[in-house]
């Protein structure tokens, strides 16, 4: 097998050429991780490395709970089972795999398990647009209160990494929101997703992100960075808002739902963090998308 390479921007096109058809084939069931930019941003947290094997190219790394794993850059169902078994034996479980992918595996040879903390939260875009139902009506009320209390305006961060003066100002203001959010959460620099989020705002080659920054009375209040996963799904990569502006999160999610033509919005996983879990459940997900770890069946 080829030598493992640390992830670097020059690999983006090579990896994306292999991830793109995998994303397209899985629709709303595609795991949120299947984008090179996201893998690159979290390369340090997961020790991601690329293996350009001719038959079974993959990215190897570690899950948040410390398990070595393999993210395949190939159609798992079409792979030779014996070669696939050798890859798992050598590098660790395949992860993250969708239920659709797992269904095509030989159950006599492989066993799949899902960890609740890994599951992606997936929402219907039209429901986030309408904000109906008991839980979502509360979000609509929060938005109304915010708009009644503050003069809100939105500017695009679509030029993330752009060189214009306006893009630079917006980026600096978004970084100030990020620092304020970190302080409010009692996090030190580098904790949580601080490094990855700051890099997403700064790096010019990450322009695949669509972003918006909201101001309240001309003061930066919150920002959101999202990314198109495939024709069916928009993924929220980063969303940060300041506590002084209650309602800024539902405002940002509602605005994203209004802007995108993707029928589904993925809020990624909660990592088992209680506050994240409560916040994501409060938006009434249509489904929790299980992401499987596939290992060799014992014996």
């Amino acid at each position: 097998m080829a030598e493992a390479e640390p992830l670097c921007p020059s690999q983006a096109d090579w990896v994306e050429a292999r991830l793109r058809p995998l994303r397209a084939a899985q629709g709303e069931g595609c795991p949120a991780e299947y984008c090179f930019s996201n893998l690159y941003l979290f390369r340090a947290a997961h020790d991601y490395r690329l293996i350009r094997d001719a038959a079974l190219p993959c990215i190897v790394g570690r899950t948040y709970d410390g398990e070595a794993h393999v993210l395949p850059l190939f159609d798992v169902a079409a792979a030779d089972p014996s070669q696939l078994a050798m890859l798992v034996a050598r590098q660790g479980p395949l992860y993250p795999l969708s239920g659709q992918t797992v269904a095509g595996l030989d159950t006599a040879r492989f066993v799949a398990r899902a960890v609740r903390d890994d599951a992606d939260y997936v929402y219907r875009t039209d429901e986030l647009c309408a904000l109906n139902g008991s839980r979502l009506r509360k979000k609509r009320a929060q938005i109304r209160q915010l708009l009644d209390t503050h003069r809100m305006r939105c500017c695009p961060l679509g030029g993330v990494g752009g060189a214009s003066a306006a893009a630079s100002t917006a980026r600096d203001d978004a970084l100030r929101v990020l620092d304020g959010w970190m302080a409010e959460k009692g996090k030190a620099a580098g904790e949580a997703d601080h490094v990855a989020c700051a890099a997403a705002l700064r790096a010019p080659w990450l322009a695949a992100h669509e972003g918006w920054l909201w101001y309240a009375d001309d003061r930066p209040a919150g920002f959101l960075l999202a990314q198109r996963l495939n024709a069916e799904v928009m993924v929220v990569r980063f969303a940060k808002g300041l506590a002084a502006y209650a309602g800024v999160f539902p405002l940002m999610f509602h605005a994203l739902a209004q802007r995108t033509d993707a029928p589904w919005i993925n809020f990624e996983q909660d990592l088992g963090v209680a506050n994240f879990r409560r916040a994501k459940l409060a938006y009434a997900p249509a489904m929790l998308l299980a992401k499987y770890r596939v290992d060799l069946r014992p014996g």
Side-chain angles (χ1 to χ4, degrees), residues 16-39:
E16 274 295 300
R18 288 152 181 81
L19 283 176
R20 196 175 299 114
L22 300 179
R23 293 197 300 263
Q26 296 179 78
E28 69 271 19
C30 182
E33 288 87 345
Y34 279 39
C35 287
F36 178 81
S37 59
N38 188 66
L39 297 169

Side-chain angles (χ1 to χ4, degrees), residues 61-81:
R62 290 194 173 275
T63 60
Y64 278 112
D65 56 9
E67 184 173 28
H69 76 90
V70 179
L71 191 156
L73 301 178
F74 56 89
D75 182 356
V76 171
D80 177 87

Side-chain angles (χ1 to χ4, degrees), residues 81-96:
S82 296
Q83 290 187 345
L84 197 59
M86 285 191 291
L87 175 64
V88 172
R90 186 183 303 118
Q91 300 289 355
L94 304 175
Y95 171 82

Side-chain angles (χ1 to χ4, degrees), residues 161-268:
S164 71
S168 179
T169 297
R171 187 163 61 250
D172 289 345
D173 284 345
L175 287 165
R176 278 192 280 275
V177 171
L178 173 60
D179 289 342
W181 180 87
M182 291 285 292
E184 289 176 354
K185 299 300 181 184
K187 302 292 185 182
E191 292 183 340
D193 58 357
H194 180 241
V195 173
C197 187
L201 288 166
R202 291 188 177 112
W205 68 275
L206 290 174
H209 290 94
E210 298 180 50
W212 299 271
L213 171 68
W214 275 263
Y215 290 89
D217 305 320
D218 295 323
R219 296 179 179 176
F223 70 88
L224 182 147
L225 294 180
Q227 186 174 29
R228 195 64 177 250
L229 190 63
N230 55 33
E232 303 294 315
V233 183
M234 180 71 82
V235 181
V236 175
R237 293 300 188 193
F238 302 98
K240 307 296 180 189
L242 300 180
Y245 307 106
V248 72
F249 282 101
L251 175 67
M252 294 192 296
F253 299 144
H254 179 58
L256 175 63
Q258 291 177 311
R259 286 181 168 95
T260 184
D261 63 352
W264 301 91
I265 298 178
N266 185 318
F267 279 19
E268 300 187 323

